[in-house]
């Protein structure tokens, strides 16, 4: 197959006959096979645009004029100026009903909710003294309602959001009233006498919550969703579960909702349910799904410590043990057990540095000291049994109280909010993995258990909830046919149930690896085993269709994990000296199974320092050496060295909707949010090989913690010598597309992952503006047509087969078939969105991806965008399966996750001794963001993140 030529940087400006965008920016070349048609035999030629008269400008210091490939006629202009604010912004309406695919009926975990006809009133609440805890606020309001409902509240049963808002079905008999409320105070751990806490509560009329506009919105006669009315209904339906269960976000948990499961180290999983009221095409819908999370086991603290450390705690603890215990217990609430029925509660603020037997404290103002051991023996007639353990510190830091661990028990119902270790994550995933039939029954059982229609709050407000899952019309889109190389026994294939295999097939465009090396960091893998593994891997790459050297260019290099940088640079130099004028093209690395920061260090050094792509193997996979594993790895290696594994037949025959007719760049964008205190790492992946649309270049950057908007899409700065400079990820990838394909894009399709509904307006306004500015910086009046689509996976809609035994609509796992799409009933009342389950189920219940179009100048039909998105999901390079979200968004996620290795050392618990102290990107001491180390150019051009 013809290779794309490399282009030197060059900028060309001119005019097109359509008056569209004013010419071609480029990184000049000798053309793409003369006319830009290099590729597959029988491939249709692109439609040619009229010749472009060019005025050549210098770009990035290179001003050599060369021929520019002709390109297909761009689409007719329909560019709309981006709105300046969310008030002027309207998301696209649904462009009619889709028709493609086999129709079927599925069930969705949405329950129809009747819109109440009550007169809803909103009241402002002020509680003095002000408290932060919603739990305390709710307790105060509960006492107020208990004593005043039948008098001052006029028999109304209000609902409360735990902050500033109270709602009633009908007016209260006053516009303004204050109440005095007494609340029994919890022990604060300071030893002071307890007394009732006094609160002043002021309730003041604020407004009527108008349900008329909600009805208009649901009927499609109003553009904006009346958020306050939806919020009121949501608060009403959450009021009773909030009293019954432990609320966490939008979910509720209780050991009564299902058997708890141990996660290890003193944690257990609780079953719960997610609940949210949503506006849909069928009216109001209550979305209910099962959820699970980690809670601290309600154990004696001594038993919890034993589980946490996994050892006998009767002996003195090391400093490392004490630090681990303190980290796990700080902030946890405990109750004492040594005072009979008096179970006072305290919150742990720390751990003593001394064991209990050495602790002394003053018992009077004269400084008389007494040991904790003596105090408990004299005051409570209690003998400390574990004197070698430290005490818990409770109360404030100025005057802490000491409590021996053995007299304290962890209070039930405390969610574990810290990071789970790998074993705990695995255990939690095992618990949460429910087959579709089981999950559906659990959801129905939750609805029955909650008895919404007997809920006194729902009855008060006139809300009725259906007890049946919504039946929704769906369609099953056909799988796309995939093209493989002509020399294979099978030249193309049609996936079944979202999967296929490489047997009898060869990669459509196998990459070339002439010079490769292997570094072995595992002490348990002997040299002969490593050599044998390398031979097997090379053989698999050859069989799969790559031009791959049979042996590494130098013998396998054994190295210690704590000397990763020295080992990699040594291998690199040795290869360079052996193949003068050539370069090392691939590094294979064998790692210990528990390798701490080694993997991240290796990727950072290879990609930002040496300019190498690498493929890592765990020791256990080297010993197994399965053919399927090696075949999958060959796919990843081929993508990393610039090859293609497969191509959509529709792409080769130019039948992809609104992609094949005009050069089109498809972006995926994501922001990976790390753990608290760490910076975010946004990333962009963009297709670079139109019209095949299989290769994606990836870029990453660093930005402030928890910042959702991608800041570096487009940027300008002032250079002292050159003046104002333009840059940013969009601009760089547009240039890369022009360089690789020979065309400038006439369309942009932007799949944006990781955006919640509340951020739609903000993200679109910022990022669409950045796209426009990046295009204009390349060429005056250059405005390709933009379609901006949000991809959501973190939602709670699940789709179930109407008949779990019907093989026409379910796969072997019991899930709905890949390609099942829903764009009615449970979707937005008027806007362009759909649910697509593009992947086959492996275990558990498949989660469909939700696609919501926020901007569409390309005027996609429903069938066009759904079919394109579904087809792209079969082009993921790392496996022979369709994937759950569109690959550019998936690749952006992989690239963003990779960037975290550039930002800081891996904080994995498993053997994190292999630390590299080189400076990383992240927060600087002055609060600025230290940029990521730059990717080397030859890494940037390939799918290094695969």
């Amino acid at each position: 197959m013809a290779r794309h030529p490399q282009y030197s940087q060059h900028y060309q400006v001119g005019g097109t006959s359509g008056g569209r965008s004013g010419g071609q920016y480029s990184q000049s070349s000798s053309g793409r096979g003369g006319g830009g048609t290099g590729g597959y035999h029988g491939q249709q030629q692109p439609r040619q645009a009229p010749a472009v008269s060019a005025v050549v400008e210098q770009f990035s210091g290179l001003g050599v004029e060369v021929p520019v490939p002709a390109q297909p006629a761009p689409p007719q202009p329909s560019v709309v100026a981006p709105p300046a604010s969310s008030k002027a912004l309207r998301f696209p309406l649904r462009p009619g009903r889709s028709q493609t695919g086999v129709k079927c009926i599925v069930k969705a975990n949405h329950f129809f909710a009747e819109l109440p006809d009550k007169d809803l009133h909103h009241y402002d609440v002020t509680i003095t003294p002000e408290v932060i805890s919603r739990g305390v606020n709710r307790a105060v309001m509960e006492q107020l309602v208990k004593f005043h409902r039948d008098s001052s509240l006029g028999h109304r049963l209000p609902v409360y959001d735990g902050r500033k808002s109270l709602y009633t079905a009908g007016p209260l008999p006053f516009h303004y009233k204050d109440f005095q409320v007494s609340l029994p105070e919890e022990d604060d751990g300071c030893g002071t006498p307890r007394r009732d806490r006094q609160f002043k509560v002021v309730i003041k009329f604020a407004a009527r919550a108008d349900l008329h506009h909600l009805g208009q919105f649901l009927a499609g006669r109003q553009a904006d969703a009346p958020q306050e009315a939806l919020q009121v209904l949501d608060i009403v339906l959450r009021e009773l579960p909030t009293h019954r269960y432990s609320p966490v976000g939008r979910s509720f948990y209780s050991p009564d909702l299902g058997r708890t499961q141990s996660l290890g180290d003193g944690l257990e999983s609780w079953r719960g349910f997610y609940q949210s009221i949503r506006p849909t095409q069928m009216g109001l819908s209550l979305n209910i799904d099962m959820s699970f999370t980690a809670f601290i086991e309600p154990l004696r603290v001594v038993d919890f410590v034993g589980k946490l450390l996994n050892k006998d705690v009767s002996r003195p603890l090391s400093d490392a043990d004490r630090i681990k215990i303190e980290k796990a217990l700080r902030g946890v609430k405990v109750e004492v057990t040594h005072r009979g029925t008096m179970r006072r509660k305290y919150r742990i603020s720390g751990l003593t540095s001394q064991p209990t037997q050495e602790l002394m404290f003053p018992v009077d103002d004269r400084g008389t000291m007494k040991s904790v051991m003596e105090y408990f023996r004299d005051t409570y007639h209690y003998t400390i049994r574990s004197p070698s353990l430290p005490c818990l510190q409770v109360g404030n830091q100025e005057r802490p109280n000491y409590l021996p661990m053995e007299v304290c028990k962890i209070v039930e119902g405390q969610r574990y909010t810290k990071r789970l270790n790998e074993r705990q994550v695995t255990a939690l995933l095992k618990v949460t993995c429910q087959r579709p039939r089981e999950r559906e029954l659990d959801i129905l059982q939750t609805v029955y258990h909650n008895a919404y229609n007997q809920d006194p709050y729902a009855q008060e407000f006139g809300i009725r909830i259906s007890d049946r899952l919504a039946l929704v019309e769906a369609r099953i889109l056909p799988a796309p046919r995939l093209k493989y190389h002509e020399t294979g026994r099978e030249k193309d294939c049609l996936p079944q149930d979202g999967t296929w295999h490489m047997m009898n097939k060869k990669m459509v465009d196998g990459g070339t690896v002439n010079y490769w090396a292997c570094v072995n960091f595992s002490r348990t893998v002997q040299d002969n085993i490593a050599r044998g593994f390398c031979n097997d891997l090379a053989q698999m790459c050859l069989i799969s269709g790559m031009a791959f050297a049979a042996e590494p260019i130098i013998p396998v290099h054994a190295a210690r994990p704590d000397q990763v940088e020295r080992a990699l640079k040594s291998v690199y130099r040795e290869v360079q000296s052996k193949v003068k004028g050539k370069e090392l093209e691939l590094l294979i690395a064998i790692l210990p199974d528990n390798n701490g920061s080694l993997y991240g260090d290796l990727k950072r050094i290879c990609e930002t320092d040496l300019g190498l792509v690498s493929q890592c193997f765990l020791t256990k996979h080297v010993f197994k050496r399965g053919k399927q594993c090696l075949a999958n790895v060959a796919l990843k290696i081929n993508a990393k060295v610039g090859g293609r594994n497969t191509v959509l037949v529709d792409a080769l025959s130019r039948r992809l909707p609104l992609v094949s007719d005009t050069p089109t760049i498809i972006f995926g964008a994501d922001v990976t949010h790390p753990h608290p205190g760490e910076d975010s790492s946004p990333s962009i992946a963009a297709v670079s090989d139109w019209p095949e649309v299989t290769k994606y270049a990836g870029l990453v950057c660093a930005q402030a913690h928890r910042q959702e908007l991608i800041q570096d899409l487009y940027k300008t700065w002032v250079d002292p010598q050159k003046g104002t400079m333009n840059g940013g990820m969009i601009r760089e990838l547009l240039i890369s597309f022009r360089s690789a394909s020979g065309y400038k894009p006439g369309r942009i399709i932007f799949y944006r992952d990781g955006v919640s509904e509340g951020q739609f307006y903000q993200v679109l306004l910022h990022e669409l503006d950045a796209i426009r500015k990046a295009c204009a910086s390349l060429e005056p009046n250059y405005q390709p047509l933009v379609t901006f689509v949000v991809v959501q996976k973190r939602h709670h809609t699940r789709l179930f087969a109407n008949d779990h035994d019907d093989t026409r609509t379910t796969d072997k796992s019991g899930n709905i078939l890949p390609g099942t799409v829903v764009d009615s009933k449970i979707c937005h009342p008027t806007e362009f969105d759909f649910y697509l389950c593009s992947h086959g189920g492996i275990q558990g219940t498949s989660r469909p991806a939700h696609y919501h179009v926020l901007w569409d100048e390309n005027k996609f039909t429903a069938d066009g965008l759904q079919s394109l998105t579904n087809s792209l999901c079969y082009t993921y390079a790392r496996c022979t399966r369709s994937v759950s979200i569109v690959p550019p968004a998936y690749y952006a996620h992989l690239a963003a996750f990779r960037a975290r290795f550039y930002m800081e050392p891996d904080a994995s618990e498993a053997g994190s001794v292999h630390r590299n102290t080189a400076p990383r990107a992240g927060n600087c001491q002055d609060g600025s963001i230290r940029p990521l180390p730059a990717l080397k150019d030859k890494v940037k051009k390939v799918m290094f993140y695969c």
Side-chain angles (χ1 to χ4, degrees):
M1 175 180 172
R3 296 278 178 189
H4 295 311
Q6 297 300 312
Y7 295 79
S8 61
Q9 290 185 322
H10 181 78
Y11 199 144
Q12 182 174 11
V13 180
T16 65
S17 62
R20 183 59 192 96
S21 58
Q24 304 186 40
Y25 66 86
S26 71
Q27 293 174 305
S28 64
S29 85
S30 57
R32 186 181 177 189
T37 60
Y40 308 95
H41 297 294
Q43 178 176 327
Q44 295 182 7
Q45 304 300 306
R47 292 184 296 152
Q48 300 299 309
V52 177
S53 60
V55 178
V56 179
E57 293 184 353
Q58 184 170 334
F59 183 56
S60 297
L62 297 175
V64 183
E65 182 177 357
V66 295
V68 177
Q71 80 173 46
Q76 292 303 307
S78 59
V79 173
V80 179
S85 70
S86 60
K87 291 181 180 179
L89 181 60
R90 292 290 179 267
F91 298 145
L93 299 178
R94 191 177 306 282
R97 294 292 179 192
S98 50
Q99 302 296 326
T100 303
V102 178
K103 291 183 179 180
C104 65
I105 299 296
V106 297
K107 289 178 284 190
N109 59 336
H110 286 244
F111 297 83
F112 178 69
E114 291 183 16
L115 187 64
D117 58 1
K118 295 294 181 81
D119 191 15
L120 305 186
H121 285 63
H122 174 203
Y123 293 85
D124 287 333
V125 174
T126 304
I127 299 177
T128 309
E130 186 175 357
V131 290
I132 298 174
S133 168
R134 281 195 179 192
V136 173
N137 286 341
R138 289 186 185 281
V140 170
M141 190 57 65
E142 190 175 351
Q143 290 290 100
L144 188 153
V145 173
K146 178 181 176 181
F147 289 105
H148 297 282
R149 180 185 178 188
D150 294 333
S151 54
S152 300
L153 299 182
H155 302 284
R156 300 289 185 198
L157 183 60
V159 296
Y160 177 50
D161 71 349
R163 295 291 187 209
K164 299 288 187 181
S165 294
L166 187 82
Y167 298 94
T168 59
L172 293 174
F174 56 83
H175 275 251
Y176 177 99
K177 192 174 181 63
D178 60 70
F179 300 84
Q180 297 298 322
V181 177
S182 296
L183 188 67
E185 185 178 20
E186 265 192 9
D187 195 301
D188 64 358
C190 296
T192 55
R194 289 192 300 168
R195 60 182 183 276
D196 287 354
R197 299 172 69 184
Q198 301 298 318
F199 293 92
K200 178 184 177 182
V201 182
V202 175
I203 299 177
K204 179 184 177 182
F205 175 75
R208 292 177 61 179
D210 191 353
L211 293 180
H212 169 73
H213 290 293
L214 178 56
Q216 293 292 97
F217 172 74
L218 293 170
R221 293 188 287 270
Q222 177 176 317
D224 295 324
Q227 293 300 327
E228 186 185 17
L230 289 169
Q231 182 183 7
V232 174
L233 301 179
D234 193 55
I235 291 170
V236 171
L237 292 172
R238 293 173 61 81
E239 187 73 22
L240 188 60
T242 298
H243 291 296
R244 284 181 174 175
Y245 311 121
S246 297
V248 177
R250 287 193 167 272
S251 297
F252 301 92
Y253 297 91
S254 171
D256 299 330
L257 292 173
R259 188 163 60 91
T260 61
Q261 301 275 355
S262 174
L263 301 178
D265 296 352
L267 304 185
E268 62 184 8
S269 69
W270 281 21
R271 179 185 294 228
F273 63 93
Y274 167 92
Q275 171 183 298
S276 177
I277 195 85
R278 301 185 60 79
T280 66
Q281 292 176 33
M282 70 178 185
L284 282 179
S285 160
L286 186 65
N287 180 205
I288 295 178
D289 191 26
M290 304 313 298
S291 57
F292 302 80
T293 196
F295 279 75
I296 304 172
E297 287 190 68
L299 302 169
R300 293 170 59 241
V301 172
V302 171
D303 296 332
F304 174 86
V305 169
K307 284 194 172 188
L308 180 68
L309 301 179
N310 193 28
K311 67 180 184 181
D312 180 13
V313 294
S314 61
R315 296 180 179 179
L317 301 177
S318 66
D319 288 342
D321 287 340
R322 194 186 65 79
I323 292 170
K324 186 174 182 180
I325 296 167
E326 185 170 31
K327 182 179 177 182
L329 286 178
R330 184 180 286 117
V332 173
K333 190 179 289 187
V334 294
E335 60 183 11
V336 296
T337 60
H338 65 288
R339 303 189 64 179
T341 57
M342 186 179 292
R343 293 291 183 107
R344 287 191 176 180
K345 294 182 176 64
Y346 303 84
R347 194 173 295 278
I348 300 172
S349 59
L351 223 61
T352 61
S353 57
Q354 299 167 285
T356 303
Q357 61 197 9
E358 297 177 12
L359 273 177
M360 307 285 287
F361 65 98
V363 293
D364 55 35
D365 295 337
R366 294 171 297 177
T368 306
M369 303 298 288
K370 194 169 191 176
S371 72
V372 171
M373 302 272 292
E374 290 175 332
Y375 178 81
F376 270 79
R377 184 179 63 246
D378 297 345
T379 307
Y380 304 116
H381 308 292
Y382 183 88
T383 302
I384 304 296
R385 300 184 183 89
S386 302
S388 62
L389 291 177
C391 276
L392 306 177
Q393 288 183 194
V394 298
N396 60 55
Q397 293 293 332
E398 294 179 0
R399 190 183 173 188
N401 279 5
Y402 301 133
L403 288 175
M405 288 185 182
E406 65 192 69
V407 302
C408 296
K409 180 178 181 293
I410 294 171
V411 175
E412 186 180 56
Q414 297 181 77
R415 182 185 174 221
Y416 186 75
T417 58
K418 301 180 180 70
R419 188 178 182 181
L420 299 177
N421 62 37
E422 189 174 330
R423 295 188 308 276
Q424 291 165 336
V425 170
T426 301
L428 185 59
L429 289 175
K430 187 175 181 180
V431 171
T432 61
C433 183
Q434 292 181 292
R435 294 180 68 85
R437 193 192 302 259
E438 178 190 355
R439 195 181 198 99
E440 180 186 336
L441 291 174
D442 281 350
I443 290 170
L444 288 169
Q445 181 64 29
T446 298
V447 174
Y448 174 79
H449 184 78
N450 287 342
Y452 289 100
N453 294 331
Q454 281 75 54
D455 178 344
Y457 298 96
Q459 289 178 336
E460 172 86 7
F461 283 78
I463 302 175
R464 292 190 60 80
I465 306 294
S466 170
D467 59 359
R468 296 187 178 184
L469 290 104
L471 292 176
V472 185
E473 184 178 287
R475 289 165 297 106
I476 304 171
L477 302 179
R481 187 167 288 277
L482 303 175
K483 176 65 179 171
Y484 283 91
H485 201 275
E486 291 291 327
T487 59
R489 288 173 58 186
E490 294 182 20
K491 298 171 178 57
D492 58 34
C493 78
L494 185 65
Q496 300 294 320
D497 290 349
T499 185
W500 64 102
H501 55 72
M502 284 295 294
M503 192 178 299
N504 300 325
K505 303 178 187 69
K506 289 185 181 292
M507 298 160 177
V508 72
D509 182 12
T512 299
V513 177
N514 293 316
Y515 307 109
W516 61 284
C518 176
V519 181
N520 178 14
F521 291 101
S522 175
R523 288 185 297 179
T524 56
V525 176
Q526 303 301 318
D527 282 350
N528 62 325
I529 296 175
R531 288 196 301 272
F533 176 77
C534 287
N535 291 338
D536 289 350
L537 177 62
Q539 188 65 27
M540 180 58 72
C541 290
L542 283 166
I543 291 172
S544 299
M546 295 182 67
F548 201 93
E551 293 183 349
I553 191 66
I554 60 173
V556 174
H557 182 94
R560 287 169 43 182
D562 59 350
Q563 296 180 350
V564 55
E565 186 164 7
R566 180 190 300 176
L568 295 178
K569 291 185 176 180
S570 172
V571 167
Y572 185 80
R573 286 193 297 267
E574 185 177 351
V575 172
Q576 297 301 90
S577 65
K578 185 169 184 178
V579 290
K580 290 181 171 57
K582 305 291 184 179
E583 289 190 335
L584 184 62
E585 297 164 331
L586 174 69
L587 181 79
I588 302 297
I590 300 172
L591 311 183
D593 291 333
N594 296 316
N595 56 76
S597 66
L598 174 59
Y599 176 86
D601 288 341
L602 184 145
K603 292 296 183 182
R604 175 181 54 81
I605 295 165
C606 284
E607 292 158 7
T608 67
D609 189 355
L610 301 178
L612 277 177
V613 291
S614 58
Q615 181 61 50
C616 296
F617 292 87
L618 294 177
T619 297
K620 60 184 178 183
H621 295 143
V622 171
F623 282 111
K624 286 182 181 177
R625 209 179 301 180
K627 285 188 177 180
Q628 186 60 53
C629 174
L630 291 175
N632 286 340
V633 171
L635 298 177
K636 297 173 67 175
I637 290 175
N638 190 50
K640 289 177 181 180
V641 299
R644 296 185 186 89
N645 296 331
T646 186
V647 177
L648 295 167
V649 169
D650 281 352
L652 299 180
S653 57
R654 301 294 182 89
R655 292 198 301 265
L656 288 180
L658 294 184
V659 170
S660 294
D661 65 336
T662 298
T664 301
I665 186 168
I666 304 174
F667 286 99
D670 190 21
V671 178
T672 293
H673 291 305
H675 300 286
E678 302 173 11
D679 290 332
S680 298
S681 48
S683 68
I684 301 285
V687 75
S688 60
D689 64 338
W690 184 87
E692 295 89 353
V693 293
T694 58
K695 294 182 181 180
Y696 290 82
L699 294 177
V700 293
C701 66
Q703 66 184 34
H705 175 65
R706 293 293 171 188
Q707 172 63 259
E708 183 54 51
L709 304 178
I710 301 178
Q711 300 299 313
D712 278 358
L713 291 183
Y714 173 72
K715 58 184 179 181
T716 60
W717 66 97
V718 177
D719 183 275
Q721 281 76 41
K722 299 178 181 178
T724 301
M725 304 293 292
N726 301 297
M729 293 192 287
I730 293 287
R731 190 176 193 276
E732 185 172 345
L733 288 168
L734 286 169
I735 293 172
S736 176
F737 179 94
R738 178 68 178 84
S739 171
S741 70
Y743 300 115
K744 70 173 184 180
R747 304 187 197 274
I748 292 176
I749 302 173
F750 197 93
Y751 287 100
R752 178 62 155 90
D753 195 6
V755 182
S756 65
E757 290 177 2
Q759 298 169 320
F760 279 4
Y761 286 102
Q762 185 184 16
V763 168
L764 178 63
L765 287 170
H766 174 81
E767 297 182 6
L768 181 61
D769 182 59
I771 293 169
R772 286 275 183 255
K773 288 177 178 176
C775 293
S777 75
L778 290 167
E779 179 179 296
N781 301 318
Y782 173 49
Q783 294 185 354
L785 303 177
V786 177
T787 295
F788 194 107
V789 185
V790 166
V791 187
Q792 294 175 303
K793 282 291 285 181
R794 300 186 68 176
H795 61 81
H796 289 268
T797 291
R798 300 292 184 274
L799 302 175
F800 305 98
N802 192 31
D803 179 356
H804 290 282
D805 298 318
D806 186 351
T807 56
R808 295 171 299 177
T809 57
T810 59
D811 61 17
K812 294 177 182 178
S813 69
N815 280 289
I816 55 175
L817 289 174
T820 300
V821 64
V822 168
D823 63 357
S824 64
K825 207 164 183 179
I826 61 171
C827 292
H828 192 279
T830 57
E831 292 171 8
F832 188 3
D833 72 325
F834 58 91
Y835 292 94
L836 172 63
C837 184
S838 53
H839 63 299
I842 300 177
Q843 57 180 359
T845 303
S846 296
R847 187 200 312 247
H850 183 226
Y851 296 88
H852 200 130
V853 181
L854 303 190
W855 192 260
D856 186 26
E857 293 169 342
N858 288 296
K859 305 301 180 188
F860 271 99
T861 64
D863 281 327
L865 185 58
Q866 291 168 14
S867 296
L868 171 65
T869 302
N870 185 58
S871 294
L872 289 175
C873 289
Y874 285 77
T875 64
Y876 188 59
R878 286 162 51 110
C879 61
T880 53
R881 300 184 69 91
S882 58
V883 288
S884 59
I885 62 171
V886 70
Y890 210 140
Y891 293 144
H893 175 77
L894 292 176
F897 193 82
R898 175 63 58 81
R900 294 171 67 177
F901 295 131
Y902 308 157
M903 295 173 71
E904 58 159 348
D906 180 27
S908 169
E909 279 193 16
S912 57
V913 294
H914 311 308
R915 280 276 181 248
N916 189 298
T917 57
R920 307 292 179 89
N923 281 317
C924 301
Q925 290 183 349
D926 63 359
S928 62
I929 305 300
R930 186 185 300 123
L932 292 173
L935 291 168
K936 293 296 184 181
D937 284 342
K938 58 184 177 181
V939 172
K940 197 186 298 183
K941 293 175 183 177
V942 296
M943 298 169 69
F944 66 94
Y945 46 79
C946 272

